[in-house]
Amino acid sequence: MAQEKKQVEQITSMESDFAQWYTDVVKKAELVDYSGVKGCFVLRPYAYALWENIQAVLDKKFKELGHENVYMPVLIPESLLNKEKDHVEGFAPEVAWVTHGGSEPLQERLCVRPTSETLFCDHYAHVVHSWRDLPKLYNQWCSVLRWEKTTRPFLRHREFLWQEGHTIHATPEEAQAETLRMLEVYADLAENYLAMPVIRGRKTDKEKFAGAEATYTIECMMHDRKALQSGTSHYFGDGFARAFEILFTDKDNQLKNPFQTSWGLSTRIIGGIIMTHGDDSGLVLPPRIAPVQIVVIPVAAHKAGVSAAADALLSRLKAAGFRVKSDTSDQSPGWKFAEYEMKGVPLRLEIGPRDLEAGRCMMARRDNGEKISVALDHVETEAARLLEEIHRGLFEKARQNLSQNTFTATTLEEVKAIAEGPGGFIKTMWCGDEACEEKFKEAAGVTSRCMPFQQENLGETCPCCGKPAKHMVVWGVAY
Ligand SMILES: [Zn+2]
Protein backbone atom coordinates (compact mmCIF):
# COMPACT_ATOMS: atom_id res chain seq x y z
CA MET A 1 0.00 0.00 0.00
CA ALA A 2 2.94 2.30 0.65
CA GLN A 3 3.93 2.02 -3.00
CA GLU A 4 0.41 2.77 -4.17
CA LYS A 5 0.28 5.91 -2.10
CA LYS A 6 3.64 7.09 -3.30
CA GLN A 7 2.63 6.68 -6.93
CA VAL A 8 -0.57 8.66 -6.53
CA GLU A 9 1.20 11.42 -4.62
CA GLN A 10 3.66 11.93 -7.44
CA ILE A 11 1.01 13.37 -9.75
CA THR A 12 0.40 17.06 -9.44
CA SER A 13 -3.32 17.77 -9.08
CA MET A 14 -5.10 19.30 -12.06
CA GLU A 15 -6.43 22.19 -10.03
CA SER A 16 -3.07 23.21 -8.61
CA ASP A 17 -1.12 23.12 -11.90
CA PHE A 18 -2.77 21.78 -15.03
CA ALA A 19 0.38 21.97 -17.17
CA GLN A 20 2.42 20.06 -14.62
CA TRP A 21 -0.41 17.53 -14.21
CA TYR A 22 -0.28 16.95 -17.97
CA THR A 23 3.49 16.45 -17.96
CA ASP A 24 3.23 14.08 -14.99
CA VAL A 25 0.55 11.95 -16.66
CA VAL A 26 2.40 11.74 -19.96
CA LYS A 27 5.46 10.48 -18.11
CA LYS A 28 3.87 8.27 -15.44
CA ALA A 29 1.52 6.57 -17.89
CA GLU A 30 4.61 5.75 -19.97
CA LEU A 31 3.40 7.52 -23.10
CA VAL A 32 6.53 9.39 -24.20
CA ASP A 33 10.20 9.75 -23.57
CA TYR A 34 12.34 12.75 -24.43
CA SER A 35 14.94 12.37 -27.19
CA GLY A 36 18.22 14.11 -27.94
CA VAL A 37 16.46 16.61 -30.23
CA LYS A 38 14.12 19.13 -28.64
CA GLY A 39 10.54 18.58 -29.72
CA CYS A 40 11.19 15.10 -31.11
CA PHE A 41 9.60 12.64 -28.72
CA VAL A 42 9.78 8.88 -28.38
CA LEU A 43 6.27 7.43 -28.55
CA ARG A 44 6.43 4.53 -26.15
CA PRO A 45 4.44 1.32 -26.84
CA TYR A 46 1.35 2.43 -24.92
CA ALA A 47 1.09 5.72 -26.83
CA TYR A 48 1.83 4.03 -30.13
CA ALA A 49 -0.87 1.43 -29.47
CA LEU A 50 -3.30 4.27 -28.84
CA TRP A 51 -2.28 5.88 -32.12
CA GLU A 52 -2.64 2.56 -33.95
CA ASN A 53 -6.21 2.21 -32.68
CA ILE A 54 -7.06 5.75 -33.84
CA GLN A 55 -5.32 5.02 -37.12
CA ALA A 56 -7.36 1.83 -37.60
CA VAL A 57 -10.66 3.69 -37.18
CA LEU A 58 -9.69 6.41 -39.65
CA ASP A 59 -8.00 4.14 -42.18
CA LYS A 60 -11.10 1.96 -42.39
CA LYS A 61 -13.34 4.99 -42.91
CA PHE A 62 -11.06 6.51 -45.54
CA LYS A 63 -11.06 3.27 -47.51
CA GLU A 64 -14.82 2.85 -47.20
CA LEU A 65 -15.12 6.30 -48.77
CA GLY A 66 -12.86 5.32 -51.66
CA HIS A 67 -9.49 6.74 -50.59
CA GLU A 68 -6.24 4.97 -51.37
CA ASN A 69 -3.07 5.13 -49.30
CA VAL A 70 0.11 6.37 -50.99
CA TYR A 71 3.56 7.41 -49.88
CA MET A 72 5.42 10.55 -50.90
CA PRO A 73 9.13 11.27 -50.31
CA VAL A 74 10.25 13.00 -47.12
CA LEU A 75 12.27 15.64 -49.02
CA ILE A 76 10.94 18.56 -51.05
CA PRO A 77 13.19 20.56 -53.41
CA GLU A 78 13.18 24.25 -52.54
CA SER A 79 11.93 25.20 -56.01
CA LEU A 80 8.88 22.98 -55.54
CA LEU A 81 8.04 24.44 -52.13
CA ASN A 82 8.29 27.94 -53.60
CA LYS A 83 5.67 27.38 -56.31
CA GLU A 84 2.59 28.43 -54.35
CA LYS A 85 3.20 31.85 -52.77
CA ASP A 86 0.84 31.77 -49.75
CA HIS A 87 1.78 28.23 -48.93
CA VAL A 88 5.53 28.89 -48.81
CA GLU A 89 5.06 32.09 -46.83
CA GLY A 90 3.04 30.17 -44.26
CA PHE A 91 5.51 27.35 -43.85
CA ALA A 92 8.92 28.92 -44.58
CA PRO A 93 9.57 30.04 -40.97
CA GLU A 94 9.34 26.49 -39.67
CA VAL A 95 10.93 24.25 -42.27
CA ALA A 96 14.18 22.36 -41.70
CA TRP A 97 16.63 22.19 -44.59
CA VAL A 98 18.94 19.48 -45.82
CA THR A 99 21.96 21.21 -47.32
CA HIS A 100 24.53 18.43 -47.63
CA GLY A 101 24.67 14.88 -48.94
CA GLY A 102 27.55 13.43 -46.98
CA SER A 103 30.13 16.22 -47.10
CA GLU A 104 29.05 17.56 -50.51
CA PRO A 105 26.90 20.67 -50.53
CA LEU A 106 23.68 20.09 -52.52
CA GLN A 107 22.99 22.13 -55.67
CA GLU A 108 19.51 22.81 -54.36
CA ARG A 109 18.40 22.82 -50.73
CA LEU A 110 15.85 20.16 -49.80
CA CYS A 111 13.29 20.74 -47.11
CA VAL A 112 12.01 18.03 -44.81
CA ARG A 113 8.27 17.96 -45.49
CA PRO A 114 6.24 20.13 -43.11
CA THR A 115 3.17 18.94 -45.07
CA SER A 116 3.01 17.42 -48.55
CA GLU A 117 0.73 19.57 -50.73
CA THR A 118 3.58 20.47 -53.05
CA LEU A 119 4.63 16.84 -53.54
CA PHE A 120 1.08 15.73 -54.27
CA CYS A 121 0.62 18.60 -56.72
CA ASP A 122 3.83 17.74 -58.54
CA HIS A 123 2.68 14.14 -58.79
CA TYR A 124 -0.83 15.08 -59.91
CA ALA A 125 0.68 17.18 -62.69
CA HIS A 126 2.32 13.95 -63.94
CA VAL A 127 -0.68 11.65 -63.72
CA VAL A 128 -3.80 13.75 -64.23
CA HIS A 129 -4.54 14.43 -67.91
CA SER A 130 -8.17 13.67 -68.57
CA TRP A 131 -11.49 13.86 -66.74
CA ARG A 132 -11.19 10.07 -66.66
CA ASP A 133 -8.22 10.43 -64.27
CA LEU A 134 -10.40 12.25 -61.74
CA PRO A 135 -11.08 12.22 -58.89
CA LYS A 136 -8.00 10.95 -57.13
CA LEU A 137 -8.64 10.32 -53.47
CA TYR A 138 -5.30 9.82 -51.74
CA ASN A 139 -4.19 9.57 -48.16
CA GLN A 140 -0.73 9.33 -46.63
CA TRP A 141 0.29 8.12 -43.16
CA CYS A 142 3.63 9.67 -42.31
CA SER A 143 5.51 12.04 -40.07
CA VAL A 144 6.17 15.69 -40.80
CA LEU A 145 8.69 18.14 -39.41
CA ARG A 146 8.05 21.71 -38.29
CA TRP A 147 10.73 23.64 -36.46
CA GLU A 148 8.57 24.82 -33.56
CA LYS A 149 10.12 27.01 -30.86
CA THR A 150 8.08 25.83 -27.89
CA THR A 151 7.28 22.14 -27.79
CA ARG A 152 5.17 19.85 -25.59
CA PRO A 153 4.45 16.13 -25.79
CA PHE A 154 1.67 15.45 -28.32
CA LEU A 155 0.49 19.07 -28.44
CA ARG A 156 3.44 20.54 -30.28
CA HIS A 157 6.17 18.32 -31.64
CA ARG A 158 8.80 19.22 -34.18
CA GLU A 159 8.31 15.80 -35.73
CA PHE A 160 4.84 14.33 -35.42
CA LEU A 161 2.82 11.48 -36.89
CA TRP A 162 -0.30 12.21 -38.83
CA GLN A 163 -2.32 11.39 -41.88
CA GLU A 164 -2.73 13.87 -44.67
CA GLY A 165 -5.46 13.32 -47.23
CA HIS A 166 -5.04 14.96 -50.65
CA THR A 167 -7.79 14.79 -53.23
CA ILE A 168 -8.21 16.27 -56.68
CA HIS A 169 -11.52 16.73 -58.49
CA ALA A 170 -12.97 17.95 -61.77
CA THR A 171 -15.38 20.45 -60.21
CA PRO A 172 -15.33 22.88 -57.28
CA GLU A 173 -18.62 21.45 -55.99
CA GLU A 174 -17.16 17.98 -55.76
CA ALA A 175 -14.03 19.23 -53.97
CA GLN A 176 -16.08 21.34 -51.55
CA ALA A 177 -18.29 18.36 -50.74
CA GLU A 178 -15.16 16.26 -50.11
CA THR A 179 -13.77 18.92 -47.73
CA LEU A 180 -16.91 18.81 -45.60
CA ARG A 181 -17.30 15.04 -45.86
CA MET A 182 -13.82 14.55 -44.38
CA LEU A 183 -14.45 17.05 -41.60
CA GLU A 184 -17.42 14.88 -40.68
CA VAL A 185 -15.15 11.81 -40.56
CA TYR A 186 -13.01 13.63 -37.98
CA ALA A 187 -16.06 14.74 -36.01
CA ASP A 188 -17.30 11.13 -35.99
CA LEU A 189 -13.92 9.88 -34.75
CA ALA A 190 -13.81 12.51 -32.01
CA GLU A 191 -17.36 12.06 -30.76
CA ASN A 192 -18.06 8.39 -31.33
CA TYR A 193 -14.66 6.86 -30.59
CA LEU A 194 -12.80 9.38 -28.45
CA ALA A 195 -15.86 10.67 -26.55
CA MET A 196 -14.80 14.25 -27.33
CA PRO A 197 -17.66 16.59 -28.27
CA VAL A 198 -16.70 19.00 -31.04
CA ILE A 199 -17.70 22.33 -32.50
CA ARG A 200 -17.66 22.14 -36.27
CA GLY A 201 -16.97 25.34 -38.12
CA ARG A 202 -15.01 27.36 -40.59
CA LYS A 203 -11.78 29.20 -39.78
CA THR A 204 -11.50 32.93 -40.37
CA ASP A 205 -9.13 33.98 -43.17
CA LYS A 206 -6.52 34.88 -40.55
CA GLU A 207 -6.53 31.37 -39.09
CA LYS A 208 -6.92 29.33 -42.27
CA PHE A 209 -4.26 27.05 -43.77
CA ALA A 210 -1.57 28.65 -45.91
CA GLY A 211 -2.77 28.42 -49.51
CA ALA A 212 -6.36 27.36 -48.74
CA GLU A 213 -9.53 29.10 -49.87
CA ALA A 214 -11.36 27.73 -46.85
CA THR A 215 -10.32 25.76 -43.78
CA TYR A 216 -12.84 23.83 -41.69
CA THR A 217 -12.09 22.61 -38.20
CA ILE A 218 -13.32 20.60 -35.27
CA GLU A 219 -12.58 22.38 -32.00
CA CYS A 220 -12.68 20.64 -28.63
CA MET A 221 -12.66 22.07 -25.13
CA MET A 222 -10.08 20.68 -22.75
CA HIS A 223 -10.59 20.22 -19.02
CA ASP A 224 -8.85 23.54 -18.35
CA ARG A 225 -11.35 25.24 -20.71
CA LYS A 226 -8.75 25.91 -23.40
CA ALA A 227 -9.40 24.95 -27.02
CA LEU A 228 -7.71 22.22 -29.01
CA GLN A 229 -7.97 22.34 -32.79
CA SER A 230 -8.35 18.61 -33.33
CA GLY A 231 -8.63 18.09 -37.07
CA THR A 232 -8.78 20.35 -40.12
CA SER A 233 -10.01 20.04 -43.69
CA HIS A 234 -9.04 22.49 -46.42
CA TYR A 235 -10.60 23.51 -49.72
CA PHE A 236 -7.97 24.81 -52.16
CA GLY A 237 -10.09 25.78 -55.12
CA ASP A 238 -7.82 25.61 -58.17
CA GLY A 239 -5.05 27.74 -56.62
CA PHE A 240 -2.53 24.95 -56.26
CA ALA A 241 -3.51 23.46 -59.61
CA ARG A 242 -2.74 26.78 -61.32
CA ALA A 243 0.57 27.20 -59.49
CA PHE A 244 1.63 23.65 -60.35
CA GLU A 245 0.13 23.68 -63.84
CA ILE A 246 -2.10 20.68 -63.30
CA LEU A 247 -4.40 20.49 -66.32
CA PHE A 248 -6.96 18.01 -67.54
CA THR A 249 -9.10 17.71 -70.65
CA ASP A 250 -12.71 17.83 -69.56
CA LYS A 251 -15.67 16.07 -71.19
CA ASP A 252 -16.28 19.19 -73.29
CA ASN A 253 -12.72 18.87 -74.66
CA GLN A 254 -11.60 22.05 -72.85
CA LEU A 255 -8.33 22.15 -70.94
CA LYS A 256 -9.07 22.99 -67.26
CA ASN A 257 -7.48 23.24 -63.84
CA PRO A 258 -8.84 20.72 -61.32
CA PHE A 259 -9.86 21.49 -57.72
CA GLN A 260 -8.19 20.17 -54.60
CA THR A 261 -8.58 19.43 -50.92
CA SER A 262 -6.36 18.33 -48.08
CA TRP A 263 -7.18 17.23 -44.53
CA GLY A 264 -5.14 16.12 -41.58
CA LEU A 265 -5.31 14.70 -38.10
CA SER A 266 -2.24 14.08 -35.97
CA THR A 267 -0.99 12.54 -32.72
CA ARG A 268 -1.98 15.87 -31.20
CA ILE A 269 -5.37 14.25 -30.68
CA ILE A 270 -3.75 12.06 -28.00
CA GLY A 271 -3.01 15.24 -26.04
CA GLY A 272 -6.69 16.04 -26.50
CA ILE A 273 -7.78 12.70 -25.08
CA ILE A 274 -5.51 13.19 -22.07
CA MET A 275 -6.76 16.72 -21.35
CA THR A 276 -10.43 15.95 -21.99
CA HIS A 277 -10.86 12.84 -19.85
CA GLY A 278 -7.88 12.59 -17.46
CA ASP A 279 -8.15 13.12 -13.72
CA ASP A 280 -5.95 13.30 -10.62
CA SER A 281 -5.31 9.55 -10.76
CA GLY A 282 -3.97 9.76 -14.31
CA LEU A 283 -5.23 8.91 -17.77
CA VAL A 284 -8.84 7.99 -18.47
CA LEU A 285 -9.09 6.35 -21.88
CA PRO A 286 -12.22 6.08 -24.00
CA PRO A 287 -13.02 2.34 -24.27
CA ARG A 288 -13.30 2.25 -28.07
CA ILE A 289 -9.63 3.15 -28.59
CA ALA A 290 -8.06 2.07 -25.29
CA PRO A 291 -5.13 -0.31 -25.95
CA VAL A 292 -6.30 -2.33 -22.95
CA GLN A 293 -10.03 -2.21 -22.29
CA ILE A 294 -10.10 -4.55 -19.31
CA VAL A 295 -7.35 -5.54 -16.89
CA VAL A 296 -7.87 -8.73 -14.91
CA ILE A 297 -6.30 -8.65 -11.45
CA PRO A 298 -6.32 -11.76 -9.28
CA VAL A 299 -6.53 -10.93 -5.57
CA ALA A 300 -4.82 -13.39 -3.20
CA ALA A 301 -3.68 -15.31 -6.27
CA HIS A 302 -1.94 -17.95 -4.12
CA LYS A 303 -5.31 -19.14 -2.78
CA ALA A 304 -6.77 -22.24 -4.39
CA GLY A 305 -8.42 -21.71 -7.74
CA VAL A 306 -7.89 -17.93 -8.00
CA SER A 307 -5.16 -17.96 -10.64
CA ALA A 308 -6.98 -20.53 -12.74
CA ALA A 309 -10.21 -18.53 -12.52
CA ALA A 310 -8.40 -15.34 -13.57
CA ASP A 311 -6.82 -17.16 -16.52
CA ALA A 312 -10.19 -18.53 -17.56
CA LEU A 313 -11.76 -15.06 -17.44
CA LEU A 314 -8.89 -13.65 -19.50
CA SER A 315 -9.39 -16.31 -22.19
CA ARG A 316 -13.14 -15.81 -22.26
CA LEU A 317 -12.87 -12.04 -22.58
CA LYS A 318 -10.22 -12.37 -25.30
CA ALA A 319 -12.41 -14.82 -27.18
CA ALA A 320 -15.30 -12.36 -26.94
CA GLY A 321 -13.15 -9.75 -28.74
CA PHE A 322 -12.13 -7.46 -25.89
CA ARG A 323 -8.63 -6.01 -25.63
CA VAL A 324 -7.72 -7.48 -22.28
CA LYS A 325 -4.66 -8.26 -20.19
CA SER A 326 -4.06 -9.75 -16.78
CA ASP A 327 -1.47 -8.73 -14.26
CA THR A 328 -0.15 -11.73 -12.38
CA SER A 329 3.06 -9.99 -11.26
CA ASP A 330 4.06 -10.12 -7.60
CA GLN A 331 3.10 -6.48 -7.01
CA SER A 332 0.36 -5.92 -4.42
CA PRO A 333 -3.22 -5.56 -5.64
CA GLY A 334 -3.18 -1.95 -4.38
CA TRP A 335 -0.12 -1.15 -6.49
CA LYS A 336 -1.78 -2.73 -9.52
CA PHE A 337 -5.01 -0.80 -8.99
CA ALA A 338 -3.08 2.49 -8.96
CA GLU A 339 -0.97 1.46 -11.96
CA TYR A 340 -3.93 0.70 -14.23
CA GLU A 341 -5.79 3.76 -13.02
CA MET A 342 -2.74 5.77 -14.06
CA LYS A 343 -2.87 4.10 -17.47
CA GLY A 344 -6.55 4.86 -17.81
CA VAL A 345 -7.73 1.27 -18.43
CA PRO A 346 -11.52 1.64 -18.58
CA LEU A 347 -12.47 -1.50 -16.62
CA ARG A 348 -10.70 -3.42 -13.88
CA LEU A 349 -11.85 -6.93 -13.11
CA GLU A 350 -10.90 -8.26 -9.68
CA ILE A 351 -11.30 -11.85 -8.65
CA GLY A 352 -10.40 -13.27 -5.22
CA PRO A 353 -11.26 -16.36 -3.12
CA ARG A 354 -14.52 -14.94 -1.75
CA ASP A 355 -15.73 -13.83 -5.20
CA LEU A 356 -14.89 -17.23 -6.56
CA GLU A 357 -16.85 -18.99 -3.82
CA ALA A 358 -19.88 -16.84 -4.66
CA GLY A 359 -19.47 -17.44 -8.41
CA ARG A 360 -18.86 -13.74 -8.96
CA CYS A 361 -16.18 -11.14 -9.68
CA MET A 362 -15.88 -7.39 -9.17
CA MET A 363 -15.71 -4.85 -11.98
CA ALA A 364 -14.47 -1.32 -11.27
CA ARG A 365 -15.06 1.58 -13.66
CA ARG A 366 -12.11 3.91 -14.23
CA ASP A 367 -14.31 6.87 -15.12
CA ASN A 368 -16.31 7.13 -11.90
CA GLY A 369 -14.83 4.52 -9.56
CA GLU A 370 -18.08 2.58 -9.33
CA LYS A 371 -17.72 -1.09 -8.37
CA ILE A 372 -20.14 -3.67 -9.71
CA SER A 373 -20.44 -7.28 -8.56
CA VAL A 374 -20.93 -9.48 -11.62
CA ALA A 375 -21.92 -13.16 -11.88
CA LEU A 376 -19.12 -15.09 -13.59
CA ASP A 377 -21.62 -16.40 -16.13
CA HIS A 378 -22.37 -12.85 -17.30
CA VAL A 379 -18.87 -11.41 -17.52
CA GLU A 380 -18.86 -10.83 -21.29
CA THR A 381 -22.24 -9.13 -21.50
CA GLU A 382 -21.60 -7.00 -18.42
CA ALA A 383 -18.18 -5.93 -19.68
CA ALA A 384 -19.68 -4.88 -23.01
CA ARG A 385 -22.48 -2.98 -21.28
CA LEU A 386 -20.13 -1.20 -18.89
CA LEU A 387 -17.68 -0.19 -21.64
CA GLU A 388 -20.57 1.36 -23.57
CA GLU A 389 -21.71 3.17 -20.44
CA ILE A 390 -18.21 4.47 -19.83
CA HIS A 391 -18.05 5.85 -23.38
CA ARG A 392 -21.39 7.61 -22.93
CA GLY A 393 -20.43 8.84 -19.46
CA LEU A 394 -17.14 10.32 -20.71
CA PHE A 395 -18.85 12.01 -23.63
CA GLU A 396 -21.57 13.45 -21.40
CA LYS A 397 -19.07 14.77 -18.87
CA ALA A 398 -17.06 16.46 -21.63
CA ARG A 399 -20.23 17.82 -23.21
CA GLN A 400 -21.21 19.39 -19.90
CA ASN A 401 -17.76 20.93 -19.52
CA LEU A 402 -18.20 22.44 -22.99
CA SER A 403 -21.72 23.77 -22.48
CA GLN A 404 -21.11 25.06 -18.94
CA ASN A 405 -18.01 26.93 -20.04
CA THR A 406 -19.31 28.48 -23.24
CA PHE A 407 -20.42 32.08 -22.77
CA THR A 408 -22.02 34.78 -24.85
CA ALA A 409 -20.73 38.36 -25.00
CA THR A 410 -21.86 41.52 -26.76
CA THR A 411 -19.05 43.91 -25.80
CA LEU A 412 -15.27 43.63 -25.79
CA GLU A 413 -15.33 44.36 -22.03
CA GLU A 414 -17.50 41.28 -21.49
CA VAL A 415 -15.13 39.18 -23.58
CA LYS A 416 -12.22 40.42 -21.48
CA ALA A 417 -14.04 39.73 -18.21
CA ILE A 418 -14.83 36.14 -19.24
CA ALA A 419 -11.31 35.50 -20.53
CA GLU A 420 -9.74 36.86 -17.35
CA GLY A 421 -12.33 35.22 -15.13
CA PRO A 422 -13.60 31.70 -15.70
CA GLY A 423 -12.11 31.27 -19.20
CA GLY A 424 -13.76 29.03 -21.73
CA PHE A 425 -15.33 29.59 -25.13
CA ILE A 426 -16.87 32.95 -25.88
CA LYS A 427 -19.47 33.44 -28.59
CA THR A 428 -19.82 36.88 -30.16
CA MET A 429 -20.92 38.42 -33.40
CA TRP A 430 -18.21 39.74 -35.72
CA CYS A 431 -18.09 42.12 -38.68
CA GLY A 432 -15.57 40.04 -40.64
CA ASP A 433 -12.67 42.54 -40.44
CA GLU A 434 -9.28 41.19 -39.51
CA ALA A 435 -8.54 44.40 -37.57
CA CYS A 436 -11.35 43.58 -35.16
CA GLU A 437 -10.18 39.99 -34.89
CA GLU A 438 -6.77 41.35 -33.84
CA LYS A 439 -8.42 43.51 -31.19
CA PHE A 440 -9.97 40.48 -29.51
CA LYS A 441 -6.47 39.11 -29.13
CA GLU A 442 -4.97 42.37 -27.85
CA ALA A 443 -7.80 43.12 -25.44
CA ALA A 444 -8.65 39.63 -24.15
CA GLY A 445 -5.90 37.27 -25.31
CA VAL A 446 -8.33 35.11 -27.27
CA THR A 447 -8.18 33.98 -30.89
CA SER A 448 -11.03 33.02 -33.15
CA ARG A 449 -11.51 29.26 -33.00
CA CYS A 450 -14.10 29.10 -35.75
CA MET A 451 -17.33 30.38 -37.21
CA PRO A 452 -19.55 27.46 -36.19
CA PHE A 453 -21.80 25.86 -38.80
CA GLN A 454 -24.59 26.32 -36.27
CA GLN A 455 -24.79 30.09 -36.37
CA GLU A 456 -26.82 32.02 -33.78
CA ASN A 457 -27.95 35.61 -33.95
CA LEU A 458 -26.56 37.22 -30.80
CA GLY A 459 -27.03 40.79 -32.01
CA GLU A 460 -26.77 43.01 -35.05
CA THR A 461 -23.36 44.60 -34.55
CA CYS A 462 -19.69 43.74 -34.06
CA PRO A 463 -18.63 44.22 -30.41
CA CYS A 464 -15.40 45.84 -31.61
CA CYS A 465 -16.36 48.44 -34.18
CA GLY A 466 -20.15 48.58 -34.03
CA LYS A 467 -20.46 47.83 -37.76
CA PRO A 468 -23.06 45.31 -38.94
CA ALA A 469 -22.21 41.75 -37.86
CA LYS A 470 -21.67 39.07 -40.49
CA HIS A 471 -20.82 35.95 -38.49
CA MET A 472 -21.00 34.45 -35.04
CA VAL A 473 -17.51 33.46 -33.91
CA VAL A 474 -16.33 31.23 -31.07
CA TRP A 475 -13.27 32.66 -29.35
CA GLY A 476 -10.92 31.00 -26.91
CA VAL A 477 -7.39 30.44 -25.74
CA ALA A 478 -5.93 27.68 -27.86
CA TYR A 479 -3.23 25.08 -27.37
ZN1 LIG B 1 -15.74 44.83 -36.28
Side-chain angles (χ1 to χ4, degrees):
M1 287 309 274
Q3 260 177 315
E4 172 193 359
K5 219 165 168 229
K6 191 174 154 215
Q7 184 161 22
V8 173
E9 274 170 5
Q10 279 172 348
I11 312 181
T12 309
S13 83
M14 297 173 106
E15 288 309 315
S16 67
D17 186 345
F18 192 77
Q20 189 57 48
W21 168 85
Y22 179 82
T23 306
D24 287 357
V25 170
V26 159
K27 233 169 107 184
K28 299 290 289 176
E30 300 180 333
L31 294 174
V32 301
D33 188 22
Y34 293 82
S35 80
V37 179
K38 179 182 149 73
C40 295
F41 296 93
V42 176
L43 297 192
R44 300 184 66 182
Y46 201 54
Y48 200 78
L50 198 52
W51 178 240
E52 282 181 317
N53 288 343
I54 292 166
Q55 211 176 11
V57 173
L58 285 180
D59 202 63
K60 183 163 176 279
K61 282 182 193 290
F62 295 163
K63 285 172 181 162
E64 279 168 6
L65 294 172
H67 302 89
E68 296 174 288
N69 284 336
V70 296
Y71 190 77
M72 292 285 156
V74 68
L75 298 174
I76 307 175
E78 185 167 19
S79 54
L80 202 61
L81 190 72
N82 287 344
K83 274 198 173 178
E84 210 287 335
K85 191 177 72 53
D86 291 337
H87 186 67
V88 69
E89 274 175 19
F91 280 99
E94 54 188 43
V95 295
W97 294 101
V98 175
T99 56
H100 286 70
S103 56
E104 293 293 309
L106 300 179
Q107 299 242 310
E108 181 181 11
R109 293 198 297 175
L110 305 171
C111 103
V112 183
R113 64 181 165 219
T115 178
S116 306
E117 273 73 14
T118 53
L119 293 165
F120 276 89
C121 284
D122 190 43
H123 173 62
Y124 287 144
H126 301 158
V127 298
V128 171
H129 307 293
S130 148
W131 62 270
R132 292 183 188 83
D133 300 325
L134 297 170
K136 295 223 179 290
L137 308 177
Y138 287 168
N139 175 63
Q140 162 165 260
W141 292 100
C142 65
S143 75
V144 288
L145 196 78
R146 297 178 185 178
W147 214 251
E148 303 279 1
K149 288 191 181 72
T150 52
T151 61
R152 284 184 81 186
F154 300 113
L155 301 173
R156 210 164 283 281
H157 289 195
R158 280 182 174 166
E159 183 190 9
F160 59 88
L161 293 175
W162 77 344
Q163 61 68 219
E164 46 178 320
H166 295 266
T167 69
I168 183 160
H169 308 260
T171 68
E173 294 78 17
E174 211 186 289
Q176 277 158 351
E178 169 77 1
T179 314
L180 294 174
R181 178 170 83 149
M182 298 322 289
L183 189 78
E184 204 46 46
V185 169
Y186 293 154
D188 176 61
L189 169 79
E191 297 194 324
N192 296 321
Y193 293 86
L194 313 180
M196 293 166 67
V198 304
I199 297 178
R200 300 160 173 81
R202 182 177 170 170
K203 288 280 182 190
T204 60
D205 282 350
K206 184 173 180 288
E207 298 285 332
K208 75 183 181 185
F209 182 82
E213 270 189 27
T215 289
Y216 301 93
T217 179
I218 52 168
E219 299 284 326
C220 299
M221 185 185 283
M222 303 294 99
H223 188 82
D224 64 349
R225 300 178 287 280
K226 285 192 193 167
L228 189 82
Q229 174 181 302
S230 301
T232 48
S233 186
H234 318 290
Y235 171 65
F236 290 134
D238 62 358
F240 274 94
R242 285 174 187 278
F244 283 81
E245 295 167 54
I246 311 170
L247 287 160
F248 73 103
T249 311
D250 207 351
K251 285 177 186 168
D252 58 11
N253 238 2
Q254 300 291 306
L255 213 51
K256 295 176 186 172
N257 290 117
F259 298 82
Q260 286 169 269
T261 82
S262 83
W263 24 275
L265 184 136
S266 75
T267 40
R268 186 164 216 240
I269 198 80
I270 295 175
I273 295 168
I274 299 168
M275 293 193 294
T276 302
H277 302 305
D279 64 20
D280 282 345
S281 301
L283 274 181
V284 178
L285 293 180
R288 291 175 191 170
I289 48 89
V292 178
Q293 295 171 307
I294 308 165
V295 59
V296 176
I297 297 181
V299 180
H302 57 282
K303 294 274 174 71
V306 171
S307 269
D311 287 349
L313 283 172
L314 181 74
S315 309
R316 275 172 56 189
L317 289 165
K318 262 189 194 161
F322 296 102
R323 294 187 291 276
V324 55
K325 71 171 271 183
S326 74
D327 188 337
T328 54
S329 71
D330 61 357
Q331 297 280 10
S332 72
W335 184 93
K336 291 177 187 174
F337 292 177
E339 172 70 7
Y340 296 102
E341 276 175 13
M342 175 63 67
K343 292 213 158 162
V345 175
L347 263 188
R348 180 177 76 226
L349 191 158
E350 305 162 23
I351 182 148
R354 261 174 298 172
D355 302 305
L356 198 54
E357 214 167 282
R360 305 186 77 83
C361 65
M362 196 63 87
M363 288 192 187
R365 285 174 62 161
R366 173 64 182 90
D367 63 326
N368 62 11
E370 197 189 326
K371 281 189 157 195
I372 306 105
S373 169
V374 174
L376 289 178
D377 289 345
H378 300 150
V379 158
E380 292 91 343
T381 49
E382 276 301 282
R385 185 182 69 79
L386 288 169
L387 290 174
E388 281 308 298
E389 262 185 34
I390 292 168
H391 173 85
R392 280 200 299 275
L394 290 177
F395 182 82
E396 184 51 29
K397 205 167 146 195
R399 199 194 57 76
Q400 275 178 24
N401 184 49
L402 174 61
S403 69
Q404 284 165 6
N405 295 297
T406 301
F407 306 96
T408 296
T410 52
T411 66
L412 210 50
E413 289 68 39
E414 281 173 16
V415 173
K416 203 176 161 206
I418 297 163
E420 286 172 0
F425 288 178
I426 309 162
K427 297 191 282 192
T428 77
M429 300 311 286
W430 174 54
C431 63
D433 283 354
E434 206 167 304
C436 288
E437 193 176 348
E438 286 284 358
K439 269 185 208 149
F440 276 88
K441 176 127 200 233
E442 281 164 31
V446 292
T447 54
S448 74
R449 303 321 313 144
C450 69
M451 300 177 279
F453 293 157
Q454 284 188 328
Q455 287 279 302
E456 296 165 50
N457 186 5
L458 308 172
E460 303 307 319
T461 55
C462 172
C464 259
C465 64
K467 280 191 247 168
K470 282 188 190 151
H471 311 279
M472 181 191 81
V473 173
V474 170
W475 309 84
V477 176
Y479 274 99

